Amino acid sequence: MKKDPGSGTSSIHLKENGDEPQAISSREKKLRQPDTCWSWIVCAAGVTCNIIVLGCTYCFGIIFPSLLDEFNEGKSNTAWVGSLAMAAIGLFGPVAGRLTNRFGARAIVICGAILSSTGLLFTSLVPSLYLMLLTYGGIFGCGSSLIYIAIYEIVPRYFVKRRSLATGLITMSAGAALVVMSPVCQVLIDAFGWRGAFRGMSCFVFIIFFIGWTLDPNVANGETTQAFEESQQSQARQSSRILDFSMWGNTTFVVLNIASFFVYIGHSIPPLHFARYCEDLGFAADLVTWLYSCIGLTSLLARVLGSKLCDVIGPPKVFLTSATVGAMASMLLPLATNWLWLLCFSIVYGFADGLMAIGIILSALQTLTQKQKAQGFGFQQLCICMAFLCGPPIGGLVADKTNSYHAAFFSAGGIEFLGLLILLIFICLRKGDLSQNKIQIESENSSLAELLVIEKETVL
């Protein structure tokens, strides 16, 4: 083979990598291009997958009263089933992310659909509540985590110009899940009972198996060539160090996660127990379903407005304000004894939920470097999901001990205020440190100015 003096280096480089120009060009032809019509098909598929799988998770509050009557295990023990399923997205998140990087989003979504559908089907057959912890909280929770994490990985890769919009649509699917799946879940319960509802949801989740085939991981982007040339080195680095813990040396990041943990413990109590509380007040199940849909719709709208609001007043202020409103709504919920006041609670709680989600995510990401953001987001979601794991059982335990939901909702608001107090104390201390640093810098600058004047007079 002849070597062209002007291109000999590149020829040798190609030979060493074992790739001929024809192989690279044929590989590029097989890659899907970003910002095309197919990109929006992938985005729509991702939103649909998240709406279905998250809807089957968040609708547990509607099924909760039926499980209480079926197993008679108390509010706290029964709540563990739903809280485990909600927390599973974060608990299995690091494993799901690792598998997605290894096998691609399409394979992981398809496997997640099979696992989730199987878990829901097994849940409809369980003879005891404790087996439901395995089937719904474990098997379905693991499958839903695989789908959720893979969707967040694949959809942004299909966009360059509209990446923020596509990511926002995926984020809004959490609110849309309650809007779409709450009526569906209630219809299934009315027609077939809670066991039939789980079977019906199993069929809905299996639709993801077919949608997942559209999520082709072979997509070109601005980093395709570089990523291809450095794939061997990156794989070696990933195998040597799976997780990066450097962000935990950031004090601000640590405090944000501690505060959000307490805030979300209290924030997670009302949604799961809301249906039983309304049932105790004598409201029909259909009206309760629409209240859940209202929470989801207002949360969806708040997520749309929240990103713009964060640009105006900053993410920390958005989180503090919305979390304060959410805590007050939880503490005032016992005063809502008619449908109109319950509707007002749903609207206020939904807006607070959406703004809190945007505020805490952006607040944490602002404290991290570019290399830490992916792992930092995963750890943040893990902390929030741990709060969702603990919150509903705590609320159920308080309700069981006091035979009333009033104390449970008061406790929820109190725990939220505890998390806000931790964050406020840190902000005040941080402002004090910043002001002292500013005074020190100003004094150093003034001293430097005086020194320059003295030197100037000396020279003259």
Side-chain angles (χ1 to χ4, degrees):
M1 181 177 179
K2 295 182 179 181
K3 278 200 300 183
D4 185 4
S7 60
T9 303
S10 60
S11 300
I12 293 172
H13 177 71
L14 291 172
K15 251 187 169 182
E16 288 176 353
N17 285 340
D19 289 316
E20 295 295 333
Q22 295 83 356
I24 296 177
S25 61
S26 62
R27 185 181 292 106
E28 290 179 351
K29 289 180 181 178
K30 294 180 180 179
L31 296 177
R32 294 188 181 274
Q33 299 302 312
D35 296 313
T36 60
C37 294
W38 188 260
S39 302
W40 290 108
I41 293 175
V42 170
C43 182
V47 171
T48 304
C49 292
N50 269 356
I51 287 176
I52 294 174
V53 74
L54 292 179
C56 293
T57 304
Y58 296 158
C59 287
F60 183 80
I62 297 176
I63 306 175
F64 185 69
S66 300
L67 298 180
L68 286 174
D69 297 335
E70 175 77 16
F71 296 109
N72 295 316
E73 292 289 347
K75 298 180 180 68
S76 180
N77 291 337
T78 308
W80 275 108
V81 177
S83 60
L84 181 58
M86 285 187 278
I89 291 177
L91 296 177
F92 294 105
V95 177
R98 180 65 172 162
L99 292 175
T100 302
N101 291 333
R102 177 66 179 85
F103 299 103
R106 178 163 57 188
I108 296 304
V109 169
I110 292 172
C111 292
I114 297 173
L115 197 61
S116 299
S117 182
T118 303
L120 290 172
L121 183 61
F122 285 165
T123 303
S124 68
L125 304 173
V126 294
S128 68
L129 184 68
Y130 299 102
L131 281 176
M132 194 176 289
L133 289 170
L134 174 62
T135 58
Y136 185 70
I139 299 176
F140 168 75
C142 180
S144 63
S145 178
L146 294 177
I147 296 171
Y148 182 82
I149 298 298
I151 293 299
Y152 266 94
E153 191 275 337
I154 187 62
V155 172
R157 290 173 55 193
Y158 268 88
F159 294 88
V160 176
K161 298 179 181 179
R162 300 288 185 268
R163 181 172 294 175
S164 298
L165 175 60
T167 305
L169 292 174
I170 296 297
T171 303
M172 289 187 295
S173 62
L178 268 175
V179 178
V180 175
M181 293 301 295
S182 293
V184 173
C185 182
Q186 187 60 56
V187 169
L188 291 173
I189 293 175
D190 293 339
F192 308 106
W194 70 268
R195 294 186 184 273
F198 277 114
R199 295 189 187 103
M201 289 191 294
S202 175
C203 295
F204 275 103
V205 170
F206 195 72
I207 297 175
I208 299 176
F209 174 84
F210 302 101
I211 298 176
W213 290 99
T214 63
L215 306 176
D216 187 359
N218 299 314
V219 55
N221 53 52
E223 301 173 351
T224 301
T225 305
Q226 182 180 0
F228 172 73
E229 291 178 353
E230 298 179 355
S231 59
Q232 299 297 329
Q233 292 86 346
S234 62
Q235 288 178 3
R237 287 194 298 268
Q238 289 177 0
S239 61
S240 61
R241 189 179 65 176
I242 297 176
L243 296 179
D244 178 19
F245 296 96
S246 61
M247 70 285 300
W248 292 106
N250 186 332
T251 306
T252 305
F253 179 77
V254 173
V255 174
L256 279 172
N257 280 282
I258 294 174
S260 64
F261 176 75
F262 284 101
V263 169
Y264 274 99
I265 284 179
H267 188 71
S268 63
I269 292 175
L272 193 141
H273 297 280
F274 187 58
R276 186 64 172 188
Y277 173 70
C278 294
E279 184 180 281
D280 292 342
L281 293 176
F283 291 98
D286 293 338
L287 292 177
V288 177
T289 301
W290 286 111
L291 290 175
Y292 272 97
S293 298
C294 184
I295 293 175
L297 180 61
T298 51
S299 178
L300 188 152
L301 296 176
R303 291 167 192 262
V304 177
L305 301 175
S307 57
K308 296 296 182 182
L309 190 59
C310 288
D311 293 334
V312 177
I313 65 174
K317 291 182 179 179
V318 171
F319 176 72
L320 283 170
T321 305
S322 58
T324 302
V325 173
M328 293 177 62
S330 298
M331 297 186 76
L332 294 176
L333 179 56
L335 302 178
T337 55
N338 57 55
W339 192 84
L340 179 60
W341 284 109
L342 290 173
L343 178 63
C344 292
F345 165 80
S346 301
I347 294 173
V348 173
Y349 182 89
F351 266 108
D353 178 74
L355 293 177
M356 284 171 57
I358 295 294
I360 191 60
I361 290 174
L362 294 181
S363 297
L365 292 179
Q366 284 183 354
T367 67
L368 302 175
T369 64
Q370 186 63 37
K371 293 181 180 180
Q372 293 175 338
K373 285 184 177 180
Q375 288 283 330
F377 176 75
F379 281 119
Q380 183 198 47
Q381 292 300 304
L382 178 61
C383 292
I384 293 175
C385 288
M386 288 296 294
F388 273 95
L389 177 64
C390 301
I394 291 175
L397 180 63
V398 174
D400 287 335
K401 296 296 183 181
T402 60
N403 293 320
S404 173
Y405 270 125
H406 291 189
F409 294 142
F410 278 123
S411 300
I415 296 173
E416 286 190 69
F417 278 121
L418 175 61
L420 292 174
L421 180 62
I422 294 173
L423 186 57
L424 282 173
I425 292 175
F426 174 75
I427 291 175
C428 293
L429 293 176
R430 193 62 182 264
K431 282 184 177 180
D433 293 340
L434 290 176
S435 62
Q436 290 178 2
N437 291 336
K438 185 178 180 181
I439 294 172
Q440 183 178 359
I441 292 173
E442 289 177 351
S443 64
E444 290 177 355
N445 290 336
S446 61
S447 300
L448 180 61
E450 293 176 358
L451 179 61
L452 290 175
V453 172
I454 293 173
E455 287 181 352
K456 183 177 180 181
E457 291 177 351
T458 305
V459 171
L460 292 176

